[in-house]
Amino acid sequence: MLRALLLTLSVVAIAHAELCKPDAQNAFKVRISIKTALGDNAYAWDANEEYLFKAMVAFAMRRYSSKSTTQISNVLLCNVTDRVSFWFVVTDSSKNVTTVPGSEVEAAIRMNRNRINNAFLLSDKTLQFLKITSTLSPPVEPSTPVWLIVFGVVLCLIVAGIVFLIISGIRKHKKKNKESTERENLEEKVEVTLENGIPCEALDIKAGHVNGVFAADDERFTSL
Amino acid sequence: MSKDLSAAPELPKEDGRPKWDNKFQYILSCIGFAVGLGNVWRFPYLCQIHGGGAFLIPYFIALLFEGIPLLHLELALGQYLRKGSIGAWNTISAYLGGIGVASWMVSVLISLYYNTVLTWVMWYFINSFQEPLPWSVCPLNENRTGFNEECYESTAVNYFWYRKTLNITPDIAESGRLQWWLILCLAACWAIVYLCTIRGIETTGKAIYVTAIFPYLVLTIFLIQGLTLPGATEGLIYLFTPNLSTLKNPRVWLDAATQIFFSLSLGFGGLIAFASYNPTKNDCEKDAVTVAIVNSMTSLYASIPVFSVLGFKATTAYWDCLDRNIINIINEFDLPEESIMRQNYTSWISFLNSSYPEKIAGLKLKSCDLQEFLDQSVSGTGLAFIVFTQAIILMPGSQAWAILFFIMLFSLGLSSMFGNIEGVFTPLLELQIVPKSAPKELLSGIICLISFLIALCFTLGSGSYWIDIFDRYASSVPLLVIAFFEVIGVVYIYKINRFSKDVEWMTGRKLNLYWQITWRFISPLLLLIVFTAFVTLQLQKPPSYTAWNPKYEGFPMKEEKVYPPWVQAICVLLVALPCMCLPLAALFHLVKQKRRSKDPSLVPSEVFSCQGANINFSHPKE
């Protein structure tokens, strides 16, 4: 009995060893960089973390294929190094000693990548599935590009400045013109025709007076 | 008799010429004109490639024997004759009027392309408000599986400059389309120039307080920030460590002489225009020395933050290189994280190389050498738009630094533009192209509008290649020719003794020996040597340019191409056009003189009226 048990166990172990080894079919390499991601808060990678990893992969497979047949024992880890990198493979419990096709595993991981990352407090870069590329998030594009808004503000300021300067220039010009025409008018008034130092207009205004002295003198001369 | 009753007061005799509000405005304008983009992106580069601190020796010798004398000459000329470049040279001698026309033409050509450089600065400025900075990430390609190929193969910064800004064509012969975003920025730039130069020095004098002082503030901020960055000291040590053996290379002396000459903006006519608005009794000698020294000190001061930042960038690139190698090694050998650090990298590498040489060779590790990263020297637009922008991404708070940096570049360029525009504006004003009754705003508006329309061709896909051409040909050789004839004209045609007396009258003291010797012999000789050396160097190899061609097999290296013949013809035209003005104007005047002497009826009637007036004023015999 015991011998039969030991035999089956060893067969399973060998089978597992056959299924999970570097570059095996449907096996994926995982590389984890905890210290890079968390620095001082880094946790150590031990058997408990490995258990969590197996649980997450099983969870991903269950969610993807929505049949609850994948168990934690179906996920096999091997070749764990100090780097923290290892290979894993998912066995199919319904079919004996076979692995789930790589494409299924890949699709399942991809679908639940976010959940897996968050369970370990890591990101796509620090929890790397070497053959599974991550989808890149599209960049956030605002409806109007920011630069256009800034440009609009700058242009409005410039145009306002130009309009202000032109209007103030026109006003100054008008004031100068008004001043110069006023001065011209003033000069015109001064440029009067003068006769013997007396403005003609003054002479016109005051009607010429006949000087009685001279008028009287005329009678003294004898008429010819 | 009628005079006695005239009520109008006798106005003081004014020539109606605008003048500076105060002396400080004038000095600041000259400094702003001289201090430009070249102080930030050309001088540090020259210092770096020509042996660091050792470059200062030929630089200061050139300043002493070429820069200061020529500057004093132009300022004294403008101040005494109180006219722009064309009027001033026509007054000195009608045969030398061509110098003024050549200066004017060079100012026009340079205004056109200089403002387009400011357009690029403005484009980067308005893009600096975005978070994250648009030149920090590569855009995705069409089906969102990876990054845009052109961006991925070069860098995000290169991609933003060559594709998103310039949308550059792979060849100068392909013009491409007008880039609408550049047209918008170009319109804004010319609107700013119009706003500031709308009434000549009345408005630029106010604007210069901001545009000339602000760059110094920003440089100081960058200095403080730069010195705190890691790797700054490496950059500074690299910059200033003198390597005296470079002085044996004549190229170094030539570069120093040309740098001083172009940095002081001599030969543009802008300095003559600025000085012409001064009162005549002004100490132009002190002004010239002040402006020249401030310009050189600014160059030195600017190179400190520039090299701190470059040292920081080189150190960061070096660390990135090391980190990448370390990750590769750790991944390959499955060593625990942080087992190899930057400090023990070399010991690990030697150990691994001895034990697993094939594995190491298979990794294809890049050799990381800090010196190599420091040696990557760039000048000009490459420094500002590629290297510096990359460094800014690495700094914390990168948007603020980007905004500050590009405003500083814009102010530096704008204050130089004021001088360029003044060199165009003042002679046109004096030639009365526009009737005197028309406001000054109209003339400046016309100049800005026409310049904007012509400069639209720089917004084409091949625009930046054309700007390089203008920079290399229109703003180099003609200026040397103009400056040479300026000195010869003043010293030997106007006669140095006469000029000395004029300067003595203005400054109130005699010209000392230094000016006499430099003006008479040293400066013209130096200019002649520099001109010959410069032209010889240019002619040694066929003029070529480097093109950004994504399809080139060596991409992202730039492809070296030769200019097609029609472009070479345009280069020759750009050099020849201003230079031809000198002999042509002299010839034109000679022909006019000959025709006048041949035909006595063409003698102007003023001669007779003068004599007639003399007869009238003689007392009639009683």
Side-chain angles (χ1 to χ4, degrees):
Chain A
M1 174 73 190
L2 199 62
R3 231 185 288 158
L5 197 64
L6 275 171
L7 204 63
T8 37
L9 274 174
S10 53
V11 164
V12 168
I14 293 168
H16 280 185
E18 285 293 312
L19 289 173
C20 178
K21 59 175 195 264
D23 297 318
Q25 202 191 33
N26 302 329
F28 292 91
K29 183 165 183 187
V30 178
R31 194 183 285 144
I32 301 186
S33 317
I34 308 174
K35 285 207 189 119
T36 315
L38 301 169
D40 286 333
N41 298 330
Y43 50 81
W45 186 263
D46 53 14
N48 298 331
E49 306 290 340
E50 283 181 23
Y51 191 79
L52 179 59
F53 183 80
K54 290 186 200 174
M56 291 308 293
V57 174
F59 163 74
M61 293 303 299
R62 283 189 180 208
R63 258 189 107 209
Y64 173 69
S65 51
S66 49
K67 56 175 194 256
S68 5
T69 51
T70 322
Q71 305 290 329
I72 290 182
S73 49
N74 286 118
V75 183
L76 307 171
L77 261 60
C78 52
N79 284 69
V80 184
T81 64
D82 279 338
R83 167 72 181 81
V84 191
S85 67
F86 49 83
W87 289 82
F88 79 92
V89 81
V90 182
T91 56
D92 199 340
S93 45
S94 55
K95 307 192 189 125
N96 247 346
V97 202
T98 48
T99 52
V100 176
S103 50
E104 264 187 58
V105 180
E106 187 174 331
I109 302 275
R110 249 219 192 101
M111 192 178 110
N112 298 288
R113 189 65 188 266
N114 211 20
R115 301 292 297 270
I116 303 176
N117 285 349
N118 281 331
F120 291 97
L121 308 171
L122 299 172
S123 68
D124 277 1
K125 275 215 190 104
T126 40
L127 171 55
Q128 288 170 301
F129 290 86
L130 285 186
K131 272 188 276 178
I132 305 176
T133 52
S134 46
T135 47
L136 301 160
S137 57
V140 178
E141 289 254 355
S143 50
T144 22
V146 176
W147 70 264
L148 211 54
I149 299 173
V150 181
F151 176 76
V153 169
V154 168
L155 200 63
C156 283
L157 288 171
I158 301 169
V159 170
I162 292 178
V163 166
F164 170 72
L165 280 176
I166 290 185
I167 290 183
S168 69
I170 293 178
R171 251 199 248 147
K172 222 195 294 181
H173 204 63
K174 273 204 198 131
K175 215 171 34 166
K176 222 196 298 179
N177 274 347
K178 213 170 39 163
E179 268 179 23
S180 61
T181 43
E182 275 175 15
R183 214 188 303 133
E184 271 174 32
N185 289 339
L186 213 61
E187 281 178 5
E188 272 176 20
K189 290 203 185 102
V190 176
E191 272 178 35
V192 292
T193 41
L194 295 167
E195 187 72 51
N196 268 345
I198 308 170
C200 288
E201 289 151 64
L203 294 171
D204 285 337
I205 294 167
K206 305 184 213 165
H209 287 280
V210 175
N211 200 336
V213 176
F214 289 117
D217 262 349
D218 270 344
E219 294 164 4
R220 275 204 274 128
F221 293 124
T222 49
S223 49
L224 288 163
Chain B
M1 284 181 281
S2 57
K3 285 186 285 201
D4 302 333
L5 277 184
S6 150
E10 198 85 90
L11 285 166
K13 191 139 200 276
E14 264 181 10
D15 53 3
R17 198 172 178 75
K19 53 183 176 34
W20 299 105
D21 289 344
N22 50 51
K23 175 84 182 272
F24 184 60
Q25 219 178 54
Y26 160 64
I27 295 283
L28 215 58
S29 297
C30 289
I31 291 176
F33 184 30
V35 172
L37 297 168
N39 294 65
V40 171
W41 71 32
R42 180 119 181 110
F43 177 79
Y45 162 76
L46 287 176
C47 244
Q48 181 192 0
I49 62 170
H50 288 319
F55 181 70
L56 295 175
I57 298 176
Y59 184 73
F60 278 110
I61 292 179
L63 177 70
L64 210 59
F65 291 118
E66 191 192 340
I68 299 183
L70 286 169
L71 187 62
H72 186 202
L73 190 86
E74 286 208 7
L75 292 182
L77 202 70
Q79 196 175 291
Y80 186 71
L81 297 172
R82 296 178 64 76
K83 289 219 179 88
S85 57
I86 298 185
W89 287 104
N90 270 323
T91 314
I92 294 258
S93 156
Y95 290 101
L96 289 177
I99 301 181
V101 180
S103 284
W104 180 84
M105 223 180 263
V106 170
S107 283
V108 169
L109 291 173
I110 292 184
S111 302
L112 288 175
Y113 89 81
Y114 205 79
N115 217 16
T116 316
V117 176
L118 287 185
T119 306
W120 299 336
V121 175
M122 168 164 276
W123 166 252
Y124 267 78
F125 167 69
I126 59 183
N127 269 295
S128 307
F129 288 88
Q130 204 175 317
E131 161 78 24
L133 290 171
W135 55 82
S136 59
V137 284
C138 268
L140 301 174
N141 57 18
E142 269 114 33
N143 41 9
R144 301 246 189 99
T145 53
F147 293 119
N148 178 301
E149 199 187 322
E150 188 182 345
C151 185
Y152 185 69
E153 288 186 19
S154 56
T155 59
V157 181
N158 273 322
Y159 178 76
F160 187 74
W161 169 238
Y162 287 110
R163 191 54 49 212
K164 284 295 172 48
T165 308
L166 301 175
N167 201 6
I168 206 166
T169 54
D171 193 281
I172 194 172
E174 288 173 45
S175 301
R177 293 189 318 268
L178 289 169
Q179 318 303 335
W180 61 272
W181 58 90
L182 284 182
I183 296 181
L184 286 180
C185 292
L186 187 73
C189 282
W190 276 109
I192 292 181
V193 170
Y194 180 51
L195 173 70
C196 295
T197 59
I198 195 167
R199 286 203 273 270
I201 62 164
E202 217 181 293
T203 39
T204 62
K206 312 276 187 325
I208 201 80
Y209 285 117
V210 176
T211 58
I213 297 184
F214 185 70
Y216 288 97
L217 283 169
V218 178
L219 275 175
T220 312
I221 297 175
F222 263 100
L223 181 80
I224 299 172
Q225 215 275 355
L227 289 174
T228 62
L229 294 169
T233 29
E234 271 89 25
L236 285 174
I237 292 171
Y238 182 72
L239 168 70
F240 285 118
T241 312
N243 178 12
L244 290 164
S245 59
T246 54
L247 294 181
K248 291 190 221 121
N249 182 5
R251 191 67 204 269
V252 176
W253 295 86
L254 177 68
D255 277 342
T258 46
Q259 171 61 15
I260 249 304
F261 181 77
F262 297 132
S263 178
L264 283 171
S265 310
L266 299 163
F268 284 65
L271 287 166
I272 297 182
F274 280 157
S276 70
Y277 298 118
N278 264 343
T280 35
K281 292 271 192 189
N282 176 50
D283 193 345
C284 51
E285 185 179 332
K286 208 162 63 165
D287 297 340
V289 176
T290 311
V291 172
I293 291 185
V294 170
N295 179 53
S296 297
M297 289 298 127
T298 308
S299 293
L300 274 171
Y301 188 61
S303 46
I304 302 178
V306 167
F307 265 89
S308 309
V309 173
L310 289 180
F312 162 69
K313 181 176 174 293
T315 307
T316 317
Y318 171 65
W319 284 349
D320 278 343
C321 179
L322 276 181
D323 286 344
R324 250 180 288 129
N325 284 353
I326 290 174
I327 286 280
N328 282 340
I329 295 174
I330 286 182
N331 287 345
E332 178 67 20
F333 289 92
D334 281 323
L335 300 164
E337 278 181 288
E338 292 185 2
S339 51
I340 307 182
M341 301 295 286
R342 291 181 198 139
Q343 296 90 312
N344 50 18
Y345 171 75
T346 31
S347 48
W348 266 101
I349 271 280
S350 45
F351 164 68
L352 288 170
N353 227 348
S354 49
S355 3
Y356 309 96
E358 332 80 40
K359 260 194 170 178
I360 293 284
L363 282 176
K364 293 204 186 58
L365 297 172
K366 271 198 176 146
S367 72
C368 299
D369 182 18
L370 182 61
Q371 272 303 109
E372 202 184 301
F373 287 110
L374 283 171
D375 276 336
Q376 287 167 2
S377 51
V378 197
S379 80
T381 51
L383 179 72
F385 299 118
I386 298 181
V387 172
F388 230 76
T389 44
Q390 196 154 29
I392 285 179
I393 305 173
L394 304 164
M395 293 184 207
S398 29
Q399 265 143 319
W401 296 115
I403 292 172
L404 269 179
F405 179 64
F406 289 115
I407 291 194
M408 176 190 79
L409 284 187
F410 195 78
S411 316
L412 281 172
L414 194 64
S415 51
S416 299
M417 269 306 284
F418 293 160
N420 283 330
I421 292 288
E422 208 50 51
V424 176
F425 189 59
T426 307
L428 285 181
L429 209 61
E430 285 162 11
L431 286 178
Q432 292 179 355
I433 301 285
V434 182
K436 230 183 174 152
S437 56
K440 258 194 248 184
E441 289 91 330
L442 190 66
L443 180 62
S444 46
I446 292 175
I447 293 177
C448 290
L449 188 66
I450 295 181
S451 308
F452 166 67
L453 292 173
I454 299 179
L456 279 175
C457 52
F458 290 123
T459 59
L460 289 168
S462 55
S464 84
Y465 299 132
W466 285 106
I467 290 193
D468 275 333
I469 288 181
F470 269 67
D471 192 30
R472 278 209 284 190
Y473 296 103
S475 75
S476 55
V477 175
L479 287 173
L480 289 168
V481 173
I482 291 172
F484 178 71
F485 281 102
E486 276 188 0
V487 184
I488 297 291
V490 166
V491 169
Y492 295 109
I493 300 186
Y494 187 73
K495 294 287 188 297
I496 180 92
N497 291 323
R498 198 167 146 203
F499 192 63
S500 304
K501 286 209 191 70
D502 297 338
V503 177
E504 206 179 310
W505 180 77
M506 289 196 291
T507 61
R509 53 175 186 279
K510 237 176 121 57
L511 265 185
N512 63 32
L513 201 61
Y514 163 69
W515 303 111
Q516 299 271 3
I517 297 183
T518 47
W519 279 347
R520 262 188 236 246
F521 311 114
I522 303 187
S523 296
L525 193 66
L526 253 171
L527 277 172
L528 200 61
I529 296 175
V530 169
F531 172 73
T532 339
F534 196 81
V535 172
T536 322
L537 261 156
Q538 293 279 12
L539 292 174
Q540 254 172 13
K541 47 183 172 64
S544 64
Y545 67 108
T546 48
W548 178 262
N549 185 4
K551 299 208 178 48
Y552 177 51
E553 61 252 355
F555 189 77
M557 299 300 289
K558 292 173 89 173
E559 191 182 350
E560 182 99 15
K561 287 190 178 173
V562 178
Y563 286 127
W566 63 276
V567 174
Q568 288 190 24
I570 294 184
C571 299
V572 172
L573 196 72
L574 280 175
V575 172
L577 212 62
C579 298
M580 279 296 125
C581 289
L582 285 108
L584 278 177
L587 208 70
F588 178 71
H589 185 75
L590 194 70
V591 166
K592 211 161 71 164
Q593 283 288 82
K594 279 237 166 80
R595 260 207 280 151
R596 229 184 251 168
S597 58
K598 277 200 189 135
D599 194 349
S601 66
L602 279 177
V603 178
S605 51
E606 302 119 42
V607 180
F608 290 127
S609 65
C610 256
Q611 291 175 341
N614 281 334
I615 293 171
N616 283 338
F617 284 140
S618 58
H619 288 282
K621 283 227 158 62
E622 293 279 344

